[in-house]
Amino acid sequence: MGAAPHFEPPLEPGGAGGSSAAVTGLRARRRGTHDGRSPRTPAPPTVCFGAAGEGDCAAARFADRSLRLVLEVIDGRRPAGQLRSVVEPTVLAAVETLARTAAAERRLGSAVLVTVKISEITAYGAEVFAGYDRGPRRFAIAARLVLRRGRWRVGALRMR
């Protein structure tokens, strides 16, 4: 019998379907010579891809720090007011509600952030995918980061 046919597109532009090159992570798109921005407009900060802590990336560090804060507020280890500088008001209201109503989950133990991955959506927004352990169980977090006035903020949050 012959080799199995390749149904997937090549991993690299111009590469063969059977290429031995491995994809190690997402990469930022290159900007063209004219990307539509005025030369006077400062470039937004670079958004990292992959697990938080890989490289020096402000968005990844912010995601890690802010999600740890959110988990500490939900566990009752921090007051909700400490989140005001890192989350939008709607997210703060949701976290306060979770902190009041999550007594059953807290019986499993303290929440421990385990993984954080971040992916660029636009130059001023990113999605965060995270996992946390609470006792023997693993839970998930999805969040949207937005860049406003040069600072990252959590604009949306979903926890399971």
Side-chain angles (χ1 to χ4, degrees), residues 68-154:
R68 287 181 195 281
L69 282 171
V70 166
L71 291 174
E72 289 173 3
V73 168
I74 291 172
D75 280 351
R77 295 180 278 159
R78 278 186 189 269
Q82 291 187 4
L83 286 175
R84 286 191 206 291
S85 64
V86 296
V87 300
E88 295 294 319
T90 55
V91 174
L92 180 61
V95 170
E96 288 173 334
T97 301
L98 279 172
R100 280 194 313 270
T101 61
E105 290 85 6
R106 282 196 291 261
R107 282 185 279 216
L108 293 171
S110 295
V112 178
L113 192 63
V114 178
T115 61
V116 178
K117 299 207 185 264
I118 185 167
S119 178
E120 178 181 31
I121 299 300
T122 67
Y124 297 97
E127 285 185 351
V128 177
F129 317 97
Y132 68 99
D133 288 341
R134 191 179 284 280
R137 296 188 58 193
R138 170 74 49 103
F139 297 92
I141 301 174
R144 166 105 178 173
L145 302 184
V146 291
L147 186 64
R148 295 215 172 109
R149 297 182 190 141
R151 296 185 66 206
W152 289 104
R153 293 181 61 85
V154 179

Side-chain angles (χ1 to χ4, degrees), residues 5-17:
H6 296 286
F7 292 107
E8 297 292 323
L11 295 175
E12 296 177 358

Side-chain angles (χ1 to χ4, degrees), residues 21-45:
V23 175
T24 58
L26 300 173
R27 295 194 178 133
R29 284 183 242 134
R30 276 197 182 150
R31 292 193 179 126
T33 54
H34 179 67
D35 60 3
R37 285 187 281 157
S38 169
R40 294 181 302 267
T41 305

